[in-house]
Amino acid sequence: MRKARIDRDGSIYRDKQESLDHVDWLERNEAPIHGIEIVKLSKFKAESTANKTIWYTSQEDVYDNARTFIRGQMIGIWNYSEFK
């Protein structure tokens, strides 16, 4: 069974719906998003590439930009995200 949220080695990984819900929660609480990394999570490690990571230098439109990034990048094997 696929888990919506996985806590591994101090990092929290969220599936697509949990990631979008987390962005909503961050927006309601006016919490910043500094970055998001989309990963391929296997039993032993989390893999990513440079085009699956985004860093925000400004908080302007950050929540809408984060949702767009998640929807566009979390496809196929790229099944979890980690918020920075």
Side-chain angles (χ1 to χ4, degrees):
M1 183 173 148
R2 184 182 174 117
K3 292 184 177 183
R5 183 175 153 154
I6 296 173
D7 190 344
R8 184 184 291 174
D9 299 325
S11 296
I12 297 173
Y13 299 98
R14 295 171 169 84
D15 73 3
K16 190 172 191 174
Q17 187 57 55
E18 183 70 18
S19 295
L20 293 169
D21 291 346
H22 187 62
V23 172
D24 292 344
W25 183 88
L26 291 168
E27 184 175 25
R28 280 192 309 274
N29 290 281
E30 298 179 2
I33 300 175
H34 300 290
I36 301 172
E37 182 176 20
I38 307 298
V39 300
K40 176 176 76 171
L41 201 57
S42 67
K43 189 173 184 176
F44 301 107
K45 61 183 173 178
E47 296 178 57
S48 189
T49 64
N51 66 341
K52 294 290 183 182
T53 303
I54 190 167
W55 293 101
Y56 298 104
T57 56
S58 166
Q59 294 299 297
E60 184 175 341
D61 298 323
V62 72
Y63 307 110
D64 289 336
N65 291 335
R67 288 182 194 96
T68 300
F69 180 74
I70 290 166
R71 286 184 186 113
Q73 295 295 322
M74 287 187 81
I75 54 174
I77 61 171
W78 305 101
N79 52 6
Y80 283 91
S81 72
E82 181 184 12
F83 285 76
K84 309 290 187 182

